[in-house]
Amino acid sequence: ADTFTISDIRIDGLSRIAPGTVFTYLPVEKGDALTPERANQAIRALYKTGFFNDVQLSRQGDILVVTVKERPQITKIVIRGNKDIQEADLLKGLKGIGLAEGEAFDPLKLAEVQDELTRQYYNRGKYNVSVKTSKVNLDRNRVEVAINVAEGKAAKIKHLNVVGNTVFTDKQIEDDFESNTSNWTSWYTKDDQYSREKLSGDLEKLQSYYMDRGYADFSVESTQVSISPDKRKMYVTANIKEGEVYTVNDIKLTGALILKEEDLRRMLQIKTGEVFSRAKVERSVDAITSALSNIGYAFADVQPIPNIDKDKREVGLNFFVNPGKRVYVRQVVFKGNQHTEDEVLRREMRQLEGSWYSQAAIDRSKIRLQRLGFFSKVEIDTPKVPGTDDQVDVTVTVEEQNSGQFTFGLGYSQVQGLIASVGVTQNNFFGTGDRVSVNAQKSSFIERYQLSYFEPYLTDEGIGIGYDIQHTKLDASENNLASYLTSTDAFDIYLGIPISESDTINAQMGLSKTGVDTLTFYTPQAIIDYIDNLGHRTFHTWNMQWSWAHDTRNRFWNPTRGSLQSVSLELTLPGSTVQYYKFNYRFAQYLRMTDSLTFFGHFGVGYGDTYKDPQSVLSPDHPRYRADISGLPFFENFYAGGVTDVRGFRDNTLGPFAVLSPTTCPPTDKNCRLPLGGALKFVASAEIIFPTPFVKENSDATRLSAFVDVGNVFQNKLCALPECRVYKSWSADQLRASAGLSFTWRAPVGPIVINIARPIRKKPGDDTETIQFTFGNTF
Amino acid sequence: CSLFHRGKKGDPMDTLPVEQLYQQGNEALQSGNNDYAVRVFQRLIARFPFGPYTEQSQLNLAYAQYKSDKPDDAYSTVNRFIKTYPTHRHIDYAYYLRGLINFNRSGGFMERYVGLDMTQRDQANLRQSFDDFGALVTRYPQSRYAADGRQRMIHLRNMMAQADLNVALFYLKRGAYVASSNRAKSILETYPQTPQAGDALAIMVKSYHELGQDKLADDAKRVLELNYPDHPSLKGRWPSYRSNWWKLIPLQNRG
Amino acid sequence: CTWLKSLGKKDNVQPPTELVEFAPTTQVDRVWSEGVGSGAGASGARLAPGVADGRLYAAGVDGSIEAIDATTGRTLWHTRLGERHGWRFWSRRDNSLRWSGGPTAEGDLVVVGGLDGQVYALSAADGSERWKAQMSSEIVAAPAIANGIVVVRSNDGRLVGLDAADGSRKWIFDQSVPALSLRSNSAPLIANGVVYDGYDNGRVVAVRLDDGNELWSQTLSGGEGRTEVERLADVDGNIVSDGQALYAAGYRGQLAAIALDSGRPVWQRDLSSYTGTAVSGNTLVAIDADGNVWAFDRETGVNLWKQDQLKYRWLTAPAIQGKYVVVGDIEGYVHWLSLDEGKFAARERLSRKPIEGAPLVVGDLVYVEDVKGHIGAYRARQ
Amino acid sequence: CGLIYKVDAQQGNLFDKATVESLKPGMSKRQVLLVMGSPSVISPFDQNRWDYVSTIRRGRHKMASKDLTLYFENDQLAKIDGDYFPEDPDVLIKDARKYKREYPDEKRSDEDKKKKRRGGDQGQG
């Protein structure tokens, strides 16, 4: 067509698309001169929109007529037969190719989809897959796309052979391969299913297996992967050349070292004379780069350049250190905090804006953010600031989890039976970082109303202030203890003062009033005598508590690294009814055993006594007169045994006990015993934490561990029975022990603890339990 | 219409002609029954993929989703509308609605009724809303939504400036004067005509003074006096940090 | 217990076609049968016995080698080389020497290749070790011996010429191997001073026996396609020669008769096959990838007959015993078909295990070995 | 009282002697930027004056601050005055050790190791 000026444009064949749309994409308008070249441009532009199957330009006089044939619209995509790849991923993949509901249908894309799906299944080792795509034309220019997938079975690795390994046996080097030939565990581990990534990962492991043991010039010569004609069996062969064992003859440190050479040399994990090991070289490189990045050189790079002396079979290592420029932080930006305030995050950061970059400060900040317990995920990355080579921004992306619990409902624990509790605990009160909780709890043995508030940052340095007011009614007998009733009202103010990066001191002042009622037939005589001698039924105390805690744990829920050590001394001041002190020491340590196993050891000691002995009010010749009523008041005693204490024994039943009437209900029968607790408590436990199966790796919601618990309570002056006097003072063979499995899950309703334990050291009359659990209550 | 609204066999939504279906959708929208409106419009678009009603119901669908607090769906629906019908006569309303979605997108149920201070939180949604309103104002300056769009953009800019100002104050209080001065400088550069610019200048004066940069402090002070003569920092002690004793009273510093 | 397997995912592979009843037209009787070690096991090596002057030599993945009298099946000598390791009862009790290529016997030399690249030469008389050599990859094809040179094909596409006297390396010929290929390699064939071998890249190559230089190479299948499975193009079957021409077939490619000297194809036709062929008189028998048995005229390539009732039974390479074609299948059956029309003549069941190695015809006996190392000798009345 | 822990606040640049000595008047802004890196304070009102300010406040002690000011005339370094905190590696290591526990954050080190190993391979060849 020759050129002509367009007087008007008319578009034919449109049904779904509006004319206006075509005009916006059409590069030519009324009044333009239409040259053949412009015409082609127009056609190409319209095709690019993807709306049309066919576009034709024709001329009627000076009117440009654009006839288009609209592509049918895809109303539905049906995928059948896909098991390995989820429907959502498939649809996302198709969207990427341009095939989605509502889009225009392009037949070319159908073939592309077929290839793409086949390739995805081949990658998963399903070489027998058959993917058939078809389309069904509907009315009004619509079309339905159906994709039928017959996955077939994945090809199984029947033969995995490493050729050329003389020094190590096949078993040794293939031990930690991911792929393996079919064996009796394959139905679960699926390790015999071939996949290319798994194989390349295994070859890398093979290379590091050799390189970590001195074979510096080890190489994988070639690998052959072959398949059986029926495409169900895979045969993998790797041919290697082991080379020789090399020892390190000299180590040089070159480049700009920044730090003193002997500091750096101390960080090297490989020494001259040792057998070459790539793992040690890498660990040395890591040590130096992290040391440099801790003091500001974020882009420090260390290149271990080996020079191999083939005949002497020695290798010299030259660690070339290139620190790069000292890097500064321009801005610290927080992302994802829809609920938490910016300041709550920023005050935890140890890396300030405008100061030089310190990887140590950033790691520390990440741990501090994780320990707030508000976030399920904390990711910190440091993108470069465009246009500068020595400035970075620190972007902290957090994923908030609801840190509050609106616990309403029933909890059950063997100790307390059914617990009806209503409570609002909000750890991150409207994002201000304050902890506010209002709780009411009613169960068979305890009735408690509590209001508490904690502001972690009273001052900028992080001195926290908290108030706590509570009213508790306790029926001890329901709690497996000697039966008496107490009703306590207490009010406390406490200050948390940080004295170092991981040490805090808590100072607490408080008032409390405890009323004790005894039931004539049920309370052991010793307790009644104690109260009569003391002459008081209600105990008023105003007390002080000092505690010091050193906490380096890396997470708020279920930590896996670090340790906690705390010493606390509680003192009731002169003027209280009974002036006593209670001392508590607790030590917990998490140690990394392997990548997936963590050792958790913890032990606690508690001791309490009066520091000014009360005098009996009864006259000495009174039958119930007791000269010595010193020692902790009985309701302040320590107890042992229970779901979160020495597992495998009923709650609070270990240690000294009393009996109502020794004749009718002998102390040997465990149901007649009324535990009294004791003034000295010792508990220790060792656990190995396993990764919980079926749960995302290192999530902090669940914890599965095998444990051994040891512990007991001693020293109770109210002991009357000979069997009770055996707990007079600390004696190692009175310690009880148990072993078993424990599972904790931080469910939305509150932490759930389930223990299966078997006592391994018990005495007749102990009240043991194999299964213990508690859920829905956080006290 | 039938008691059960779900798309059961013989559900009227599958048989009604397009006009009545469209009518039902609008009635549900007027009466605030947004979830039902969303379902009706979705069925309409699926059954009648083109025609005058379809275009309008795509827009109504986006509005219904926005009203029933499904910001993500609403945002993708309105985006699809803009791509498919760029020359629709209500296209300016579509841009306006797109800006609104992110403007009001805030946390959950409690936050909306307690009115949290969004300048303390993640600014991503606000920035997105600012860009969307920007598109409206540049493409359709004379649209009747443009004026309101401009107002909201100014408000958004002030909020973003306030967010940066909070950070600058945070570092000022903690004695990190280089950080506070740089933050203040970035406010001046990115949000020049906002009321917060005055405070930013004041922060720069104080920071440079603390850093011993008297010459720079004087420069900044002169600019401050010129543009914000009655700024509190020129007179008394500024910024007035509430003393820590106030903080002893619980719950008073809710954000 | 096949229903157990089907419990899991539906399998796309066609089940073997049901065997059809027929009146046997000849009488086949099993002369002897013998178990030798553990056969090829799971190595997929298509082990078959080697034969030399009346003696049969067979080897297995458990390291054992045996010489058997061809006619009576009496074991002449039996050795097991290499030592076992992996003592725990559930780990793979491997032997350090796992035979997977051959054995081939020539004169008084028996040569066998192993899965770890070892090549051992034993004396035919008593099985004592003469020499050994080390290849760069596993050997899953039988070596060839002629005029004092042993030619070994290893899985990484290398053809190595060794001196038959002491095993020293004379030459190496290298060919590239595609990322994914079919299991097992084509055994080298030596004819008047030239070594012929089929490769995984779809080519048949002729190499001089004395110095390993390439004479010519002929492509049987192109190996194009979008996915790596469509690009499979192996020439895995053993190459057969009748003195004038070579007969070889490529997977997804062509069956061709190639002139020995020039390498130019005499005729070729489309036939995808992963096994070797067999020639007798004027008929050439080949088996396609689906399991149909074809017969062609040797000179012109015209199709004589086709037997499709053994489809999907994953047949072995064919062998011709007098008037009958002998073929083994995946369920351990041995089939005799008439050479002239391809009709079923007889059927025997060697064992319940698949037969993968090609049947070996010596005189009027045919020897068939299954993957577990059971060897059966049969005589069909002509 | 001195007991309460206050995080050290460090701000601004830190140089070692060699870099500062290598500064010579007459250098262009680009060259200075290359040698010294970006200045911590560039006043929006005076483009020809770069201040390499650095301050350090250890715990509760008073803040010490130093300022190295560079004056430019038509894009050439004219005058250098003020001084700076020299970089002292031992002090830096002591500070870093305060935050660094012996277990580096495992997440970071695993990913870096993978990246490094791939990078490391090429290096070793």
Side-chain angles (χ1 to χ4, degrees), chain A residues 49-198:
Chain A
T49 62
F51 290 150
F52 310 111
N53 263 342
D54 176 24
V55 175
Q56 253 124 32
L57 302 189
S58 54
R59 181 179 168 196
Q60 265 174 1
D62 279 355
I63 300 169
L64 170 64
V65 175
V66 179
T67 36
V68 288
K69 189 173 167 313
E70 266 183 30
R71 280 206 176 123
Q73 189 195 25
I74 302 173
T75 56
K76 195 189 268 178
I77 297 183
V78 174
I79 302 180
R80 276 187 291 273
N82 58 325
K83 289 193 197 55
D84 256 19
I85 306 179
Q86 294 317 326
E87 179 124 359
D89 305 343
L90 283 178
L91 286 178
K92 208 170 338 94
L94 299 191
K95 211 179 194 42
I97 300 175
L99 203 69
E101 276 165 12
E103 292 289 333
F105 168 73
D106 172 359
L108 277 178
K109 297 263 174 32
L110 222 47
E112 236 180 276
V113 161
Q114 196 155 351
D115 285 351
E116 179 51 29
L117 289 187
T118 319
R119 203 168 300 119
Q120 276 185 21
Y121 275 106
Y122 282 169
N123 280 347
R124 289 163 183 272
K126 297 219 155 156
Y127 285 103
N128 276 313
V129 68
S130 88
V131 178
K132 291 193 204 59
T133 53
S134 61
K135 74 174 172 68
V136 172
N137 291 337
L138 304 175
D139 55 6
R140 295 195 212 87
N141 198 3
R142 291 178 305 152
V143 79
E144 199 176 273
V145 172
I147 301 175
N148 303 329
V149 176
E151 285 186 356
K153 283 205 178 118
K156 295 270 189 295
I157 301 177
K158 286 296 175 194
H159 171 78
L160 178 63
N161 183 20
V162 177
V163 177
N165 55 326
T166 53
V167 180
F168 304 107
T169 69
D170 289 353
K171 186 82 196 63
Q172 277 170 312
I173 47 179
E174 285 163 18
D175 204 14
D176 61 358
F177 274 19
E178 270 176 61
S179 14
N180 196 348
T181 48
S182 307
N183 51 62
W184 61 283
T185 60
S186 300
W187 64 275
Y188 170 62
T189 58
K190 297 258 181 306
D191 54 4
D192 62 353
Q193 278 187 355
Y194 170 75
S195 97
R196 222 173 290 141
E197 301 81 32
K198 260 201 296 191

Side-chain angles (χ1 to χ4, degrees), chain A residues 115 122 126-128 150 152-153 159 161-162 171 174 196 224-227 230-232 235 237 239, chain C residues 5 10-13 42 88 92 98 115-116 136-138 156 181-183 226-229 314:
Chain A
D115 285 351
Y122 282 169
K126 297 219 155 156
Y127 285 103
N128 276 313
K153 283 205 178 118
H159 171 78
N161 183 20
V162 177
K171 186 82 196 63
E174 285 163 18
R196 222 173 290 141
Q224 284 83 38
V225 176
S226 37
I227 188 167
D230 63 8
K231 304 198 185 65
R232 286 182 48 202
Y235 304 85
T237 317
N239 316 311
Chain C
K5 274 209 215 64
K10 205 185 79 42
D11 194 348
N12 275 3
V13 179
R88 280 190 304 276
R92 295 196 307 275
R98 298 173 292 174
L115 273 181
D116 281 315
S136 61
S137 179
E138 57 187 18
D156 54 2
S181 64
L182 280 180
R183 183 57 176 162
R226 275 193 297 276
T227 65
E228 70 250 26
V229 169
W314 306 107

Side-chain angles (χ1 to χ4, degrees), chain C residues 3-351:
Chain C
W3 61 271
L4 240 182
K5 274 209 215 64
S6 62
L7 262 190
K9 301 194 183 71
K10 205 185 79 42
D11 194 348
N12 275 3
V13 179
Q14 296 286 2
T17 340
E18 282 313 315
L19 291 179
V20 96
E21 283 317 318
F22 67 96
T25 57
T26 172
Q27 167 57 25
V28 167
D29 36 46
R30 181 195 300 221
V31 175
W32 52 268
S33 82
E34 177 75 34
V36 171
S38 64
S43 73
R46 290 195 194 146
L47 271 181
V51 69
D53 41 53
R55 285 188 180 181
L56 212 63
Y57 300 90
V61 178
D62 62 344
S64 56
I65 304 180
E66 219 170 272
I68 308 162
D69 181 295
T71 47
T72 64
R74 201 166 41 74
T75 313
L76 304 170
W77 48 263
H78 171 90
T79 59
R80 178 208 290 268
L81 297 167
E83 67 291 336
R84 305 186 73 77
H85 53 72
W87 43 271
R88 280 190 304 276
F89 68 93
W90 64 80
S91 85
R92 295 196 307 275
R93 299 265 330 253
D94 283 348
N95 187 327
S96 65
L97 269 176
R98 298 173 292 174
W99 303 126
S100 55
T104 313
E106 184 69 33
D108 72 346
L109 199 63
V110 176
V111 178
V112 65
L115 273 181
D116 281 315
Q118 312 93 335
V119 175
Y120 272 63
L122 314 174
S123 107
D126 57 6
S128 60
E129 185 190 308
R130 297 274 288 278
W131 47 263
K132 58 179 190 251
Q134 176 65 34
M135 295 299 125
S136 61
S137 179
E138 57 187 18
I139 296 159
V140 283
I145 310 171
N147 357 26
I149 296 181
V150 175
V151 177
V152 180
R153 162 74 188 279
S154 64
N155 194 28
D156 54 2
R158 282 202 173 128
L159 209 54
V160 178
L162 304 174
D163 183 327
D166 58 7
S168 62
R169 177 174 305 183
K170 293 173 83 69
W171 48 264
I172 287 187
F173 174 75
D174 213 335
Q175 274 281 326
S176 67
V177 176
L180 184 69
S181 64
L182 280 180
R183 183 57 176 162
S184 97
N185 307 119
S186 142
L189 170 78
I190 302 177
N192 38 54
V194 176
V195 184
Y196 304 96
D197 203 354
Y199 275 87
D200 296 350
N201 49 24
R203 306 222 315 256
V204 173
V205 175
V207 161
R208 288 170 54 90
L209 178 57
D210 42 20
D211 61 9
N213 293 339
E214 176 177 345
L215 294 172
W216 50 260
S217 83
Q218 173 60 35
T219 307
L220 288 188
S221 57
E224 299 85 17
R226 275 193 297 276
T227 65
E228 70 250 26
V229 169
E230 281 159 15
R231 287 193 292 272
L232 283 174
D234 295 40
V235 175
D236 271 359
N238 293 351
I239 298 180
V240 163
S241 156
D242 63 359
Q244 292 102 357
L246 284 179
Y247 303 96
Y251 191 67
R252 287 183 194 280
Q254 310 212 304
L255 168 69
I258 307 169
L260 271 171
D261 39 20
S262 66
R264 270 191 350 290
V266 175
W267 52 265
Q268 57 195 42
R269 52 173 300 132
D270 281 348
L271 182 86
S272 161
S273 158
Y274 60 85
T275 64
T277 55
V279 155
S280 157
N282 206 340
T283 18
L284 167 72
V285 178
I287 308 213
D288 74 10
D290 293 341
N292 302 311
V293 187
W294 299 74
F296 304 97
D297 178 301
R298 188 166 55 82
E299 274 108 11
T300 63
V302 161
N303 176 4
L304 304 175
W305 48 263
K306 168 184 174 191
Q307 169 58 266
D308 56 11
Q309 287 178 331
L310 292 173
K311 257 185 132 184
Y312 304 120
R313 297 190 66 81
W314 306 107
L315 301 176
T316 67
I320 298 177
Q321 183 184 28
K323 296 210 305 298
Y324 301 101
V325 176
V326 185
V327 163
D329 72 9
I330 195 163
E331 284 180 344
Y333 285 94
V334 186
H335 306 273
W336 279 263
L337 308 175
S338 66
L339 188 56
D340 40 17
E341 295 124 2
K343 295 275 173 296
F344 282 114
R347 174 188 303 139
E348 288 289 323
R349 183 155 205 180
L350 172 65
S351 73

